[in-house]
Amino acid sequence: MENIIEIKDVEMHFNMCKEKIDNLKEYFIKIAKRQLMYEDFIALDKVNLEVQRGEVLGIIGYNGSGKSTILKVISGILKPTKGIVKVNGTIAPLIELGAGFDLDLTARENIYLNGSVLGFSKKMMQDCFDDIVEFSELKDFLDIPMKNYSSGMVARIGFAVATMVKTDILIVDEILSVGDFLFQQKCENRINNLMAGGTTVIIVSHTLDQIRRLCSKVLWLDKGKVKMLGDTNTVCDAYEGNLK
Amino acid sequence: MLEANFQTLKRYRYLLSNLIVKDIKLKYRRSILGILWSVLNPLLMMIVISAVFSNIFKFQVENFPLYYLTGSTLFNFMSESTNLAMMSILNSRELIKKIYIPKYIFPIEKCLFGFVNFLFSLIAVVVMFIVFGYPLHLTSLLFFIPAIYTLIFSMGLGMVLSALGVFFRDVIHLYSVVVVAWNYFTPIVYPYEILGEKMKMFMQINPMYYFVSYFRDVTMYNTVPGVKIDLICIAFSVGTLIFGLWFFKKTQDRFILYV
Ligand SMILES: Nc1ncnc2c1ncn2[C@@H]1O[C@H](COP(=O)(O)OP(=O)(O)O)[C@@H](O)[C@H]1O
Ligand SMILES: [Mg+2]
């Protein structure tokens, strides 16, 4: 099988100022006083990973182990400090908690905006539009600004938008553990459908049951390093053993 | 590199047009008076400024209200575009946190939106020409040349400002002061001729001086500036665009850490 994602020796350093400086005045004062201190934090350390087309990869690990960071590196949102990231396909908008929308716009406008980001014309979008509306069950709220939505409603639209048009890769960050049970079921079904259609999926979740149910391969990250990579049950068992 | 940029622009043309349409809708949704206001505002300014300055420059300027209106319309196009472009990356933070997009789309889009607004405001300018019974020369049809120079220049400057705005928030306030000073430093309410020798020399480094003069030459004075002026305008606008692209490219990977 062909590799759709290849990650070689990727390192992500956050070279940040100790204090957050966000204006010129402070910046020049600090330079003048020679107090501009940088701190090097390594969020990903020599990570290697290959994902084949159609695989479902789960990523597990404690908080702060670099799971969200690696998702952002794969989707191109973050550029790695070192190493090579090769992706051979289109990627859907990252699905994460507090999924980003322009909250001043209505849901309808956000849906079209997201579609055009993926390179879809208005005409192509019209076909998926009804599907999104039906999936999110928010027909009556389409034309009010999204700032009036609850977080659950935003999550629904987020998931519906990201999965509306068929992309090669879908990335889901911890969203499957929120929302009511019915919606979770619906999301899982949708992921299963996409998988059947050949979409490559990457899932971060703290719910190991879910990982076991959905994934064909699991990556365990620990403090930015690959602790284990391989068969779902082997890695999940080892992770559970470690928790005890 | 330019070809690659062009390819991405093609791929993202729907995004670009969608964003422009969205901006226009938002602008005119805010108030029913939206369109009316964007026409009335420059006209009101014209009346006030003319009331004050017409008499002073009676002998230097043949139709002061139109002189002011043409200059300020082009200058406002630049200042509106660059101001919007400056905020464009910060305002799209939600989108760029979620999906990869070539980020220069955002400042470019704001300048194109500014250009559309500029075209709208030209309607008011034409109406005023008619009201004052001022002849509309054939050379007026060349208005788009200085407008395009201004657009390219604004894109370059807008890219620099949008990147700086991400890292240093006070640049935003600083720039609003700069624009006011720049407005006075450009012959908009006064004629170039009244300036002293020193100021005249200093004026040669102000790209807006060239664009505004060019705009007035074709719209009011039935003149086409020579090739030399075109070369200077191209140097200013394309030079700024290239610098903007370079600066933006150098800094864009770090935006995500600061937005
Ligand atoms: N933009 C950033 N600037 C500085 N540090 C960051 C940034 N993003 C993430 N980090 C750090 O990188 C580490 C990994 O974060 P993350 O990938 O979000 O962890 P996880 O998703 O596994 O909980 C954390 O220690 C976090 O503080
Ligand atoms: Mg995370």
Side-chain angles (χ1 to χ4, degrees):
Chain A
M1 272 298 259
E2 163 204 11
N3 283 335
I4 190 164
I5 300 171
E6 276 183 33
I7 293 182
K8 283 209 187 80
D9 293 320
V10 159
E11 288 184 27
M12 186 75 226
H13 296 228
F14 288 113
N15 199 288
M16 303 286 285
C17 272
K18 276 209 170 115
E19 301 150 84
K20 198 167 163 53
I21 294 178
D22 67 353
N23 62 71
L24 272 176
K25 199 177 97 201
E26 267 179 55
Y27 184 72
F28 283 124
I29 292 174
K30 293 277 177 198
I31 285 185
K33 289 187 178 169
R34 297 178 191 283
Q35 280 179 346
L36 212 56
M37 306 259 260
Y38 286 101
E39 197 172 19
D40 191 38
F41 178 81
I42 305 180
L44 289 177
D45 196 2
K46 299 203 186 60
V47 174
N48 286 286
L49 175 69
E50 285 175 3
V51 182
Q52 290 178 346
R53 202 173 281 278
E55 261 187 324
V56 179
L57 174 75
I59 302 181
I60 53 177
Y62 307 125
N63 284 329
S65 57
K67 302 184 297 293
S68 299
T69 306
I70 199 171
L71 295 185
K72 291 198 168 118
V73 166
I74 291 171
S75 56
I77 296 168
L78 274 176
K79 191 160 184 184
T81 319
K82 283 184 198 158
I84 301 168
V85 178
K86 267 196 217 152
V87 176
N88 286 315
T90 51
I91 305 183
L94 193 66
I95 310 177
E96 56 180 350
L97 286 176
F101 286 107
D102 188 337
L103 296 182
D104 283 329
L105 299 181
T106 66
R108 187 191 299 275
E109 287 161 341
N110 266 308
I111 290 170
Y112 278 109
L113 189 59
N114 271 273
S116 53
V117 168
L118 293 169
F120 289 87
S121 70
K122 195 158 181 163
K123 222 166 124 240
M124 292 154 89
M125 286 287 301
Q126 254 139 21
D127 301 333
C128 345
F129 191 80
D130 296 333
D131 185 46
I132 296 171
V133 175
E134 194 194 287
F135 184 86
S136 61
E137 297 169 19
L138 294 169
K139 193 174 177 27
D140 299 333
F141 301 92
L142 280 179
D143 292 305
I144 60 169
M146 285 186 72
K147 60 183 166 215
N148 300 329
Y149 276 35
S150 72
S151 57
M153 288 159 87
V154 175
R156 274 164 188 256
I157 293 275
F159 192 88
V161 163
T163 54
M164 68 188 166
V165 284
K166 206 176 130 26
T167 50
D168 300 323
I169 302 168
L170 179 70
I171 299 181
V172 189
D173 193 354
E174 290 194 41
I175 200 181
L176 294 180
S177 38
V178 297
D180 52 72
F181 178 74
L182 272 177
F183 184 64
Q184 274 185 37
Q185 281 269 292
K186 222 170 158 176
C187 290
E188 256 188 54
N189 285 341
R190 183 135 237 204
I191 289 181
N192 278 321
N193 283 343
L194 286 170
M195 279 156 44
T199 298
T200 308
V201 185
I202 305 179
I203 300 171
V204 167
S205 175
H206 287 293
T207 320
L208 281 187
D209 283 346
Q210 215 165 35
I211 297 274
R212 284 184 201 265
R213 241 187 348 261
L214 291 168
C215 301
S216 52
K217 178 170 159 182
V218 173
L219 168 69
W220 175 7
L221 280 179
D222 189 46
K223 295 191 186 112
K225 290 194 168 71
V226 177
K227 179 108 173 188
M228 217 171 164
L229 172 66
D231 165 66
T232 304
N233 282 323
T234 323
V235 179
C236 286
D237 288 346
Y239 184 69
E240 264 172 339
N242 198 280
L243 283 177
K244 274 171 202 148
Chain B
M1 180 191 120
L2 267 177
E3 173 153 10
N5 279 344
F6 189 72
Q7 281 296 323
T8 44
L9 258 185
K10 212 169 135 195
R11 170 161 150 56
Y12 287 97
R13 67 189 183 282
Y14 294 121
L15 177 62
L16 212 50
S17 60
N18 202 342
L19 285 172
I20 294 173
V21 170
K22 180 202 86 178
D23 276 345
I24 293 173
K25 265 197 209 153
L26 272 182
K27 174 164 177 159
Y28 296 118
R29 185 163 73 195
R30 292 240 164 83
S31 71
I32 311 167
L33 288 174
I35 292 188
L36 203 62
W37 180 240
S38 65
V39 173
L40 279 184
N41 189 30
L43 292 186
L44 282 176
M45 278 302 285
M46 182 194 77
I47 291 169
V48 173
I49 301 271
S50 306
V52 178
F53 290 96
S54 274
N55 218 15
I56 307 179
F57 302 125
K58 204 160 42 191
F59 301 111
Q60 286 102 332
V61 180
E62 94 179 88
N63 185 323
F64 189 84
L66 289 184
Y67 178 87
Y68 168 76
L69 191 63
T70 44
S72 70
T73 304
L74 194 73
F75 192 91
N76 288 346
F77 162 38
M78 186 283 295
S79 88
E80 187 194 20
S81 304
T82 48
N83 260 306
L84 290 173
M86 179 167 61
M87 301 305 296
S88 64
I89 300 289
L90 284 172
N91 287 342
S92 348
R93 52 164 80 84
E94 292 304 336
L95 213 50
I96 62 180
K97 276 182 195 166
K98 211 171 59 151
I99 187 167
Y100 169 79
I101 312 171
K103 292 169 198 58
Y104 67 89
I105 294 266
F106 296 107
I108 297 275
E109 182 268 326
K110 289 300 178 195
C111 293
L112 291 174
F113 170 59
F115 189 67
V116 173
N117 282 333
F118 166 72
L119 293 180
F120 275 127
S121 56
L122 280 187
I123 298 172
V125 177
V126 173
V127 169
M128 278 299 128
F129 268 69
I130 295 167
V131 168
F132 282 105
Y134 199 90
L136 276 163
H137 307 290
L138 256 183
T139 52
S140 300
L141 290 174
L142 296 178
F143 79 91
F144 67 90
I145 298 178
I148 299 261
Y149 291 148
T150 310
L151 174 66
I152 295 173
F153 173 75
S154 305
M155 284 177 173
L157 180 59
M159 275 195 269
V160 174
L161 290 169
S162 66
L164 282 178
V166 170
F167 301 116
F168 306 112
R169 302 295 152 95
D170 53 350
V171 165
I172 294 158
H173 303 289
L174 216 60
Y175 184 64
S176 63
V177 178
V178 168
V179 167
V180 173
W182 194 358
N183 190 54
Y184 288 119
F185 181 56
T186 308
I188 291 172
V189 293
Y190 58 85
Y192 173 73
E193 288 71 33
I194 64 150
L195 294 173
E197 281 310 309
K198 261 221 182 89
M199 275 309 282
K200 273 187 179 157
M201 242 166 61
F202 206 35
M203 196 54 78
Q204 312 305 312
I205 59 161
N206 178 3
M208 285 317 290
Y209 157 64
Y210 288 98
F211 303 153
V212 165
S213 310
Y214 199 131
F215 191 61
R216 283 190 186 124
D217 275 352
V218 293
T219 53
M220 290 186 73
Y221 304 135
N222 198 15
T223 351
V224 181
V227 176
K228 190 180 150 216
I229 297 292
D230 276 294
L231 288 178
I232 294 175
C233 288
I234 290 172
F236 269 124
S237 54
V238 176
T240 308
L241 180 68
I242 289 174
F243 176 76
L245 277 169
W246 171 80
F247 188 80
F248 197 82
K249 219 179 171 91
K250 207 170 129 73
T251 50
Q252 63 177 354
D253 291 336
R254 281 181 293 137
F255 289 171
I256 185 78
L257 305 175
Y258 292 86
V259 287

